[in-house]
Short mmCIF file of all heavy atoms in Angstrom, two decimals:
data_model
loop_
_atom_site.label_atom_id
_atom_site.label_comp_id
_atom_site.label_asym_id
_atom_site.label_seq_id
_atom_site.Cartn_x
_atom_site.Cartn_y
_atom_site.Cartn_z
N HIS A 1 -6.65 16.32 5.11
CA HIS A 1 -5.32 16.06 4.71
C HIS A 1 -4.76 14.83 5.38
O HIS A 1 -3.97 14.07 4.82
CB HIS A 1 -4.46 17.28 5.12
CG HIS A 1 -4.76 18.56 4.38
ND1 HIS A 1 -4.22 19.79 4.67
CD2 HIS A 1 -5.55 18.76 3.26
CE1 HIS A 1 -4.74 20.67 3.87
NE2 HIS A 1 -5.49 20.02 2.96
N ALA A 2 -5.17 14.62 6.61
CA ALA A 2 -4.72 13.34 7.34
C ALA A 2 -5.23 12.15 6.64
O ALA A 2 -4.50 11.15 6.52
CB ALA A 2 -5.23 13.36 8.81
N VAL A 3 -6.47 12.14 6.16
CA VAL A 3 -7.04 10.96 5.44
C VAL A 3 -6.26 10.80 4.07
O VAL A 3 -5.93 9.58 3.78
CB VAL A 3 -8.51 11.19 5.13
CG1 VAL A 3 -9.05 10.12 4.29
CG2 VAL A 3 -9.28 11.21 6.50
N MET A 4 -5.95 11.88 3.38
CA MET A 4 -5.20 11.68 2.20
C MET A 4 -3.81 11.16 2.44
O MET A 4 -3.29 10.36 1.66
CB MET A 4 -5.14 13.09 1.46
CG MET A 4 -6.47 13.67 1.08
SD MET A 4 -7.46 12.52 0.05
CE MET A 4 -6.48 12.37 -1.37
N PHE A 5 -3.15 11.61 3.48
CA PHE A 5 -1.87 11.06 3.85
C PHE A 5 -1.99 9.59 4.20
O PHE A 5 -1.04 8.76 3.94
CB PHE A 5 -1.22 11.86 4.96
CG PHE A 5 -0.51 13.12 4.51
CD1 PHE A 5 -0.97 14.36 4.92
CD2 PHE A 5 0.57 13.09 3.69
CE1 PHE A 5 -0.37 15.52 4.53
CE2 PHE A 5 1.18 14.27 3.24
CZ PHE A 5 0.73 15.47 3.68
N LEU A 6 -3.05 9.15 4.79
CA LEU A 6 -3.23 7.78 5.14
C LEU A 6 -3.39 6.97 3.88
O LEU A 6 -2.96 5.75 3.78
CB LEU A 6 -4.44 7.64 6.06
CG LEU A 6 -4.74 6.22 6.61
CD1 LEU A 6 -3.54 5.74 7.39
CD2 LEU A 6 -5.99 6.22 7.51
N VAL A 7 -4.10 7.50 2.87
CA VAL A 7 -4.20 6.83 1.55
C VAL A 7 -2.80 6.68 0.94
O VAL A 7 -2.44 5.60 0.40
CB VAL A 7 -5.03 7.69 0.61
CG1 VAL A 7 -5.03 7.13 -0.83
CG2 VAL A 7 -6.49 7.68 1.10
N LEU A 8 -1.95 7.69 1.04
CA LEU A 8 -0.56 7.60 0.52
C LEU A 8 0.20 6.57 1.32
O LEU A 8 1.03 5.84 0.73
CB LEU A 8 0.10 8.97 0.65
CG LEU A 8 1.58 9.07 0.17
CD1 LEU A 8 1.65 8.59 -1.32
CD2 LEU A 8 2.14 10.40 0.35
N THR A 9 -0.05 6.43 2.62
CA THR A 9 0.60 5.39 3.42
C THR A 9 0.23 4.02 2.92
O THR A 9 1.12 3.15 2.76
CB THR A 9 0.21 5.54 4.89
OG1 THR A 9 0.52 6.84 5.35
CG2 THR A 9 0.92 4.52 5.76
N PHE A 10 -1.06 3.74 2.64
CA PHE A 10 -1.51 2.44 2.16
C PHE A 10 -0.89 2.13 0.82
O PHE A 10 -0.47 1.00 0.56
CB PHE A 10 -2.98 2.37 2.08
CG PHE A 10 -3.68 2.29 3.47
CD1 PHE A 10 -4.91 2.85 3.69
CD2 PHE A 10 -3.04 1.65 4.50
CE1 PHE A 10 -5.50 2.79 4.94
CE2 PHE A 10 -3.60 1.56 5.76
CZ PHE A 10 -4.84 2.10 5.96
N VAL A 11 -0.83 3.16 -0.10
CA VAL A 11 -0.26 2.93 -1.42
C VAL A 11 1.26 2.62 -1.32
O VAL A 11 1.74 1.73 -2.01
CB VAL A 11 -0.50 4.16 -2.33
CG1 VAL A 11 0.22 4.04 -3.63
CG2 VAL A 11 -1.96 4.42 -2.54
N SER A 12 1.92 3.32 -0.44
CA SER A 12 3.35 3.00 -0.22
C SER A 12 3.57 1.58 0.35
O SER A 12 4.43 0.86 -0.11
CB SER A 12 4.01 4.06 0.68
OG SER A 12 3.80 5.31 0.17
N ALA A 13 2.72 1.18 1.25
CA ALA A 13 2.80 -0.17 1.80
C ALA A 13 2.52 -1.22 0.75
O ALA A 13 3.22 -2.27 0.68
CB ALA A 13 1.84 -0.33 3.02
N SER A 14 1.58 -0.97 -0.08
CA SER A 14 1.34 -1.91 -1.19
C SER A 14 2.45 -2.02 -2.17
O SER A 14 2.73 -3.08 -2.70
CB SER A 14 0.06 -1.46 -2.00
OG SER A 14 0.25 -0.21 -2.67
N GLY A 15 3.20 -0.86 -2.35
CA GLY A 15 4.39 -0.89 -3.23
C GLY A 15 5.52 -1.78 -2.61
O GLY A 15 6.18 -2.53 -3.27
N VAL A 16 5.65 -1.71 -1.24
CA VAL A 16 6.61 -2.60 -0.60
C VAL A 16 6.21 -4.04 -0.72
O VAL A 16 7.05 -4.93 -0.93
CB VAL A 16 6.76 -2.10 0.87
CG1 VAL A 16 7.63 -3.12 1.67
CG2 VAL A 16 7.32 -0.78 1.02
N TRP A 17 4.96 -4.35 -0.58
CA TRP A 17 4.46 -5.69 -0.70
C TRP A 17 4.66 -6.23 -2.15
O TRP A 17 4.93 -7.40 -2.31
CB TRP A 17 3.03 -5.83 -0.28
CG TRP A 17 2.79 -5.70 1.22
CD1 TRP A 17 3.75 -5.67 2.16
CD2 TRP A 17 1.58 -5.68 1.85
NE1 TRP A 17 3.24 -5.60 3.41
CE2 TRP A 17 1.90 -5.54 3.28
CE3 TRP A 17 0.27 -5.59 1.54
CZ2 TRP A 17 0.92 -5.49 4.23
CZ3 TRP A 17 -0.72 -5.53 2.51
CH2 TRP A 17 -0.41 -5.49 3.83
N LEU A 18 4.50 -5.42 -3.11
CA LEU A 18 4.80 -5.82 -4.52
C LEU A 18 6.29 -6.23 -4.59
O LEU A 18 6.57 -7.22 -5.33
CB LEU A 18 4.45 -4.70 -5.47
CG LEU A 18 2.97 -4.49 -5.80
CD1 LEU A 18 2.79 -3.24 -6.69
CD2 LEU A 18 2.42 -5.74 -6.49
N LEU A 19 7.13 -5.47 -4.01
CA LEU A 19 8.57 -5.89 -4.08
C LEU A 19 8.89 -7.20 -3.36
O LEU A 19 9.79 -7.85 -3.72
CB LEU A 19 9.42 -4.77 -3.42
CG LEU A 19 9.48 -3.40 -4.17
CD1 LEU A 19 10.29 -2.49 -3.34
CD2 LEU A 19 10.08 -3.62 -5.55
N LEU A 20 7.99 -7.52 -2.44
CA LEU A 20 8.18 -8.82 -1.68
C LEU A 20 7.36 -9.93 -2.43
O LEU A 20 7.22 -11.01 -1.78
CB LEU A 20 7.66 -8.67 -0.22
CG LEU A 20 8.46 -7.65 0.62
CD1 LEU A 20 7.81 -7.54 2.03
CD2 LEU A 20 9.93 -8.19 0.78
N GLU A 21 6.84 -9.66 -3.60
CA GLU A 21 6.17 -10.68 -4.38
C GLU A 21 4.81 -11.04 -3.70
O GLU A 21 4.38 -12.22 -3.87
CB GLU A 21 7.02 -11.87 -4.69
CG GLU A 21 8.15 -11.58 -5.57
CD GLU A 21 8.97 -12.83 -5.94
OE1 GLU A 21 8.48 -13.94 -5.54
OE2 GLU A 21 9.96 -12.72 -6.63
N ALA A 22 4.27 -10.16 -2.95
CA ALA A 22 2.93 -10.36 -2.35
C ALA A 22 1.91 -9.60 -3.08
O ALA A 22 1.35 -8.64 -2.52
CB ALA A 22 2.96 -10.04 -0.84
N GLU A 23 1.71 -10.00 -4.32
CA GLU A 23 0.84 -9.18 -5.23
C GLU A 23 -0.62 -9.19 -4.69
O GLU A 23 -1.28 -8.16 -4.82
CB GLU A 23 0.89 -9.66 -6.67
CG GLU A 23 2.22 -9.51 -7.37
CD GLU A 23 3.19 -10.66 -7.09
OE1 GLU A 23 2.76 -11.64 -6.32
OE2 GLU A 23 4.32 -10.65 -7.55
N PHE A 24 -1.09 -10.32 -4.30
CA PHE A 24 -2.48 -10.43 -3.80
C PHE A 24 -2.74 -9.43 -2.66
O PHE A 24 -3.78 -8.72 -2.61
CB PHE A 24 -2.81 -11.84 -3.47
CG PHE A 24 -4.24 -12.01 -2.95
CD1 PHE A 24 -5.30 -12.03 -3.72
CD2 PHE A 24 -4.40 -12.19 -1.56
CE1 PHE A 24 -6.62 -12.20 -3.25
CE2 PHE A 24 -5.72 -12.32 -1.02
CZ PHE A 24 -6.81 -12.39 -1.93
N LEU A 25 -1.90 -9.46 -1.68
CA LEU A 25 -2.02 -8.52 -0.48
C LEU A 25 -1.93 -7.06 -0.90
O LEU A 25 -2.65 -6.23 -0.41
CB LEU A 25 -1.02 -8.84 0.59
CG LEU A 25 -1.12 -10.24 1.21
CD1 LEU A 25 -0.01 -10.45 2.26
CD2 LEU A 25 -2.41 -10.40 1.94
N ALA A 26 -1.04 -6.75 -1.85
CA ALA A 26 -0.89 -5.39 -2.31
C ALA A 26 -2.17 -4.89 -3.02
O ALA A 26 -2.66 -3.77 -2.78
CB ALA A 26 0.31 -5.28 -3.25
N ILE A 27 -2.68 -5.70 -3.93
CA ILE A 27 -3.93 -5.32 -4.67
C ILE A 27 -5.13 -5.27 -3.67
O ILE A 27 -5.95 -4.36 -3.79
CB ILE A 27 -4.19 -6.31 -5.80
CG1 ILE A 27 -3.03 -6.25 -6.83
CG2 ILE A 27 -5.50 -5.98 -6.52
CD1 ILE A 27 -2.79 -4.92 -7.44
N THR A 28 -5.16 -6.18 -2.72
CA THR A 28 -6.24 -6.18 -1.73
C THR A 28 -6.19 -4.91 -0.92
O THR A 28 -7.19 -4.27 -0.61
CB THR A 28 -6.21 -7.43 -0.87
OG1 THR A 28 -6.22 -8.60 -1.67
CG2 THR A 28 -7.32 -7.46 0.15
#
């Protein structure tokens, strides 16, 4: 469960980066 929550953390961070127009970092 901790690993799955960490996956959700990374996905949420990539969503924030998309809002900041950092598409390359979000997809990476």
Side-chain angles (χ1 to χ4, degrees):
H1 294 169
V3 173
M4 298 306 296
F5 279 116
L6 188 57
V7 171
L8 180 60
T9 303
F10 288 149
V11 173
S12 303
S14 65
V16 175
W17 286 354
L18 282 175
L19 293 176
L20 296 176
E21 297 185 1
E23 295 88 0
F24 177 77
L25 295 178
I27 297 301
T28 303

